[in-house]
Amino acid sequence: MNIVIYNEGIHDKEEWMKNVYPQGIHGALSDILASPENSITVITLDNVGDITPELLARTDVMLWWGHAAHHLVPDSVSNTVTEAVQKGMGFVALHSAHMSKPLRQLLGTSCTLKWRDNDAERVWVTAPSHPIAAGLPEYFELPDEEMYGEYFDIPKPDDVVFMGWFNGGELFRSGVTFTRGLGKIFYFQPGHEAFPTYMNPNIRLIIKNAVKWAAPSKRLERLECPMSPAPGPVLK
Amino acid sequence: MNIVIYNEGIHDKEEWMKNVYPQGIHGALSDILASPENSITVITLDNVGDITPELLARTDVMLWWGHAAHHLVPDSVSNTVTEAVQKGMGFVALHSAHMSKPLRQLLGTSCTLKWRDNDAERVWVTAPSHPIAAGLPEYFELPDEEMYGEYFDIPKPDDVVFMGWFNGGELFRSGVTFTRGLGKIFYFQPGHEAFPTYMNPNIRLIIKNAVKWAAPSKRLERLECPMSPAPGPVLK
Amino acid sequence: MNIVIYNEGIHDKEEWMKNVYPQGIHGALSDILASPENSITVITLDNVGDITPELLARTDVMLWWGHAAHHLVPDSVSNTVTEAVQKGMGFVALHSAHMSKPLRQLLGTSCTLKWRDNDAERVWVTAPSHPIAAGLPEYFELPDEEMYGEYFDIPKPDDVVFMGWFNGGELFRSGVTFTRGLGKIFYFQPGHEAFPTYMNPNIRLIIKNAVKWAAPSKRLERLECPMSPAPGPVLK
Amino acid sequence: MNIVIYNEGIHDKEEWMKNVYPQGIHGALSDILASPENSITVITLDNVGDITPELLARTDVMLWWGHAAHHLVPDSVSNTVTEAVQKGMGFVALHSAHMSKPLRQLLGTSCTLKWRDNDAERVWVTAPSHPIAAGLPEYFELPDEEMYGEYFDIPKPDDVVFMGWFNGGELFRSGVTFTRGLGKIFYFQPGHEAFPTYMNPNIRLIIKNAVKWAAPSKRLERLECPMSPAPGPVLK
């Protein structure tokens, strides 16, 4: 599988983050997906222009982590990602990527939510037969995670695979799927930069499952409005 | 109810169309919705800049008909419409508005489809208890309509209220609803400029029902990410 | 509006419950819906046979509260309710009615869930533009309520209008809608017999909104497989 | 994979049908699914009592074809199938199985539709990235098939994978998916006993895809309401 991991890579350059993710968030994500079958390309804001239609045409699934620099991603890159998804590429948006340009462009909503700093979260499985939930227990816990709470302004998801409960009194649709064109989309809330969430075995399993699930079953070369191929009634 | 009708108004200036819609498509739509309770504002491409956040903040439902000049609608206008819908304004997209900037921005798909010129259509009700289908027969016919056929690249609709059957061998999800933020959206396929579709009594009833259905039940002044208001567990 | 309130009425005969609902749960529900426009019929297990096809054919919305005596409701009564919903009657299932015969028959799932005695609940609005959420704050609290938790074995709802957060660490899809045939269904979790939940102003508003929302827009006299009325292509 | 094919087997005993399906409909279905990986059990009305909880507990996917003898299937068998699906078994309901006891019990609607004898059908793919549509063209044709038409009284499907267009002027949601508990359900309309529909290569591919898709990812041993396992807030 050809995988592209985009991490804006801003926090990753700060000293304090070395203790959480010595190789950066992209390093942690790469480590989760490393296998002989996977070819992984890492892109950060520094070389965001490498996200081209040609690259994405041969990419099966793209992961996107962004937070502080959504506005620095060019609109043209967001258009490129959106169109690649519509043609079939899978897209896994992580944590504060709820406000990223491509996800908002694909969903058509504001993607706003409530938030608060450090809390603890219990993640519940709410679609136990969904492939992304395969192998997970009924629930698991994250002792430190940023609180994201409802109302979360997203379109009605295809499936709500996970819901998060927070000590502070909020809840959230934490793992949600969408389809846009031929592309499968998964948004997953846990993954704050200040905590080693991507080291948690359950989180790692979810990321693996999600990438596998989002792989395209069919792809288009072009999006277009063709003339109709159905020439009248069915002949006997 | 405050209603804004946007019709690009290009075809309406051509001589041949005077026979179909002497007052233009916007005139026909205004006529459908005229009532003492409704205040109607008509906007065409000539004054598309009149579509401002202030106007839409006091608009309950906007109708959009466009075909030849989607690209001449400024992105800023499309952003204004999209944000107004997310805050609660209803949006009724008609016929070739499937390719309009605001609808594509709200849906996040290419909205491509198959098409062919003049055919006849039978429109079937496929959600008989939906408010937009109130008062309609099981099906009705349009002797002349442009064929729009599947695959129609839209996200999974909230409801498929109507499906269209065409003599030539195609079918289509002709009337579909979506929610984006607090705003209700209805896309409706019949309404080609060359035929007097908006004079058909069933079509007129559907437009009336749709505008009534899309009226906001709640509106936001701003789209934003607030801090959480839930201060810990529930106190007894 | 013609409303039928079914309450099995078992707990209501016990001494301790007089302090919570002196007029029984059916009395509290009747009080919420009392108005000159509404005609209310109360039925309990003692006269459950009064639930006939004739009664339900002229009933707009039926409310159902049951807990200890689901198995004492005859299958024939459950069939009658199910068929009336399919023909258009609204159905509001309350609290432990998640295990009632008619709701399970309409949904086709086991409707099992996790539960625990007395806890506190915070109810969040997760579909702010839904008519059942009209007039409600972002969230409200119930200091005493029975805990119902995920995984809740229901089909994918049309809308998840409310979600519940519990002090003890669970969450729940507390208010969910479904459509079966022409009938609208709302299941709502709060309403344990040991606490005066139906005296809470927010709960009362939700019940009122739900009954209004579930009222039929169209009704069938019979459910049947007719021959097709569409005699060939559309004639011009 | 362990597969059970139920075919009531009434028409299959009549002389005229020998020309269409010499081995019966169950024979044709078995032939489609025959492979070293699959173990296939055929059951007809003659031994319908062989459908036991024990058999279905080790069955991955069950196919169901029935028409003339829905009423002769005991309620207890329908309960057994329904509960097996809720626990995770896949269920593929074919053609006139829309009126079968298990499907109606799982869906909770009347499953009525319009119908007419022999017509021609064009089947359109309306969810091109769905696994059940893998390898299929945009549309294909069946020169002889029974017409099933809208309004089809089913709950909102998870996905509408196929829609059927009929020469006579009707259309139909021909291939639809549902989830009930952990079980995946696919209903597929083509398959009238009078025509060799199950010999059509596209139909055969769809049946294969559907069985593969419906295979369980997780199974339950019991359906029950357990006490909650979440002991209070998340500990740090």
Side-chain angles (χ1 to χ4, degrees), chain C residues 97-114:
Chain C
H98 70 98
M99 290 298 277
S100 66
K101 284 188 183 178
L103 190 70
R104 295 176 81 183
Q105 193 169 347
L106 287 160
L107 299 191
T109 55
S110 71
C111 298
T112 53
L113 44 74
K114 295 200 192 314

Side-chain angles (χ1 to χ4, degrees), chain C residues 86 108 153 168 170 180-181 228 230 232, chain D residues 86 107-108 153 168 170 181 228 230 232:
Chain C
Q86 291 168 351
D153 183 23
E170 301 89 354
R180 288 294 178 275
S228 168
Chain D
Q86 291 167 351
L107 299 191
D153 183 23
E170 301 89 354
S228 168

Side-chain angles (χ1 to χ4, degrees), chain A residues 150-227:
Chain A
E150 297 284 341
Y151 175 67
F152 184 22
D153 183 22
I154 49 173
K156 206 177 293 181
D158 288 354
D159 282 293
V160 180
V161 187
F162 305 105
M163 289 187 197
W165 177 101
F166 292 91
N167 273 344
E170 300 89 355
L171 46 73
F172 194 66
R173 287 169 288 173
S174 291
V176 286
T177 68
F178 303 92
T179 310
R180 289 294 179 271
L182 297 190
K184 291 176 200 141
I185 300 168
F186 180 57
Y187 169 75
F188 191 49
Q189 158 261 318
H192 192 50
E193 67 273 10
F195 313 117
T197 300
Y198 294 121
M199 305 308 192
N200 179 296
N202 287 312
I203 298 291
R204 292 169 80 88
L205 180 54
I206 291 169
I207 302 279
K208 272 186 223 182
N209 287 345
V211 168
K212 202 171 156 190
W213 167 83
S217 59
K218 183 173 178 168
R219 304 199 73 154
L220 294 179
E221 288 191 23
R222 276 180 312 235
L223 302 169
E224 57 180 353
C225 277
M227 297 295 282

Side-chain angles (χ1 to χ4, degrees), chain A residues 71-123:
Chain A
H71 61 294
L72 298 181
V73 173
D75 285 353
S76 60
V77 166
S78 184
N79 290 341
T80 295
V81 173
T82 296
E83 195 162 311
V85 172
Q86 291 168 351
K87 289 176 183 168
M89 183 184 75
F91 188 66
V92 176
L94 296 168
H95 190 56
S96 39
H98 71 99
M99 291 298 278
S100 67
K101 284 187 181 179
L103 189 70
R104 296 176 80 183
Q105 193 169 348
L106 286 160
L107 299 191
T109 55
S110 71
C111 297
T112 54
L113 44 73
K114 296 199 191 315
W115 64 275
R116 201 164 27 78
D117 247 349
N118 191 359
D119 198 349
E121 178 175 9
R122 182 175 281 134
V123 179

Side-chain angles (χ1 to χ4, degrees), chain A residues 120-124 138-141 163-171, chain B residues 233, chain C residues 114 116 119-121 147-150 164-172, chain D residues 228-235:
Chain A
E121 178 175 9
R122 182 175 281 134
V123 179
W124 288 88
E138 289 187 317
Y139 69 88
F140 64 91
E141 296 174 0
M163 289 187 197
W165 177 101
F166 292 91
N167 273 344
E170 300 89 355
L171 46 73
Chain C
K114 295 200 192 314
R116 201 163 29 75
D119 198 348
E121 178 176 9
M147 191 288 291
Y148 279 12
E150 297 285 340
W165 177 100
F166 292 91
N167 272 345
E170 301 89 354
L171 45 73
F172 194 66
Chain D
S228 168
V234 185
L235 297 178

Side-chain angles (χ1 to χ4, degrees), chain D:
Chain D
M1 209 183 293
N2 290 317
I3 298 170
V4 170
I5 296 173
Y6 172 78
N7 172 26
E8 63 179 27
I10 307 265
H11 302 304
D12 313 66
K13 291 173 178 169
E14 297 171 40
E15 205 50 44
W16 61 267
M17 204 171 151
K18 299 266 150 67
N19 297 318
V20 189
Y21 292 116
Q23 314 300 326
I25 288 176
H26 45 279
L29 295 173
S30 296
D31 186 55
I32 294 172
L33 297 168
S35 93
E37 292 81 36
N38 290 341
S39 166
I40 298 174
T41 303
V42 168
I43 295 176
T44 67
L45 187 62
D46 294 338
N47 61 329
V48 68
D50 289 358
I51 300 174
T52 61
E54 293 70 32
L55 175 69
L56 299 193
R58 55 177 192 270
T59 298
D60 294 295
V61 181
M62 182 179 213
L63 294 90
W64 192 283
W65 198 102
H67 177 217
H70 295 318
H71 61 293
L72 297 181
V73 174
D75 286 353
S76 60
V77 165
S78 184
N79 290 341
T80 295
V81 173
T82 296
E83 194 161 313
V85 172
Q86 291 167 351
K87 289 176 183 170
M89 184 184 76
F91 188 67
V92 176
L94 295 168
H95 191 55
S96 40
H98 71 98
M99 290 299 277
S100 66
K101 284 188 182 178
L103 190 70
R104 295 176 81 183
Q105 194 169 347
L106 286 160
L107 299 191
T109 54
S110 71
C111 298
T112 53
L113 44 74
K114 294 199 193 316
W115 63 275
R116 201 164 26 78
D117 247 349
N118 191 358
D119 198 349
E121 178 175 9
R122 181 175 282 135
V123 179
W124 287 89
V125 173
T126 50
S129 64
H130 197 285
I132 301 182
L136 286 162
E138 287 187 317
Y139 69 89
F140 63 92
E141 296 173 1
L142 300 168
D144 292 291
E145 185 50 67
E146 192 176 30
M147 191 289 290
Y148 279 12
E150 298 283 343
Y151 174 67
F152 184 21
D153 183 23
I154 49 172
K156 206 177 294 181
D158 289 354
D159 282 293
V160 179
V161 187
F162 304 105
M163 289 187 200
W165 178 100
F166 292 90
N167 272 345
E170 301 89 354
L171 45 75
F172 194 65
R173 287 168 288 173
S174 292
V176 286
T177 68
F178 303 92
T179 310
R180 288 294 179 271
L182 297 189
K184 291 175 199 142
I185 300 167
F186 180 58
Y187 169 75
F188 191 51
Q189 158 260 320
H192 192 49
E193 67 273 10
F195 312 116
T197 300
Y198 294 121
M199 305 307 192
N200 179 295
N202 288 311
I203 298 290
R204 292 170 80 88
L205 179 55
I206 290 169
I207 302 279
K208 273 186 221 180
N209 286 345
V211 168
K212 202 171 157 191
W213 167 83
S217 59
K218 183 175 178 169
R219 303 200 73 154
L220 294 179
E221 289 192 22
R222 276 180 312 236
L223 302 169
E224 57 181 351
C225 278
M227 298 295 282
S228 168
V234 185
L235 297 178
K236 298 205 183 197

Side-chain angles (χ1 to χ4, degrees), chain B residues 120-173:
Chain B
E121 178 175 10
R122 182 175 280 136
V123 179
W124 288 88
V125 173
T126 50
S129 65
H130 197 285
I132 301 183
L136 287 161
E138 288 187 316
Y139 69 87
F140 63 92
E141 296 174 0
L142 299 168
D144 291 291
E145 185 50 69
E146 192 176 29
M147 191 289 291
Y148 279 13
E150 298 283 342
Y151 174 67
F152 184 21
D153 183 23
I154 50 172
K156 207 177 292 181
D158 289 354
D159 282 293
V160 180
V161 187
F162 304 105
M163 289 188 199
W165 178 100
F166 292 90
N167 271 345
E170 302 89 353
L171 45 74
F172 195 65
R173 288 168 288 174

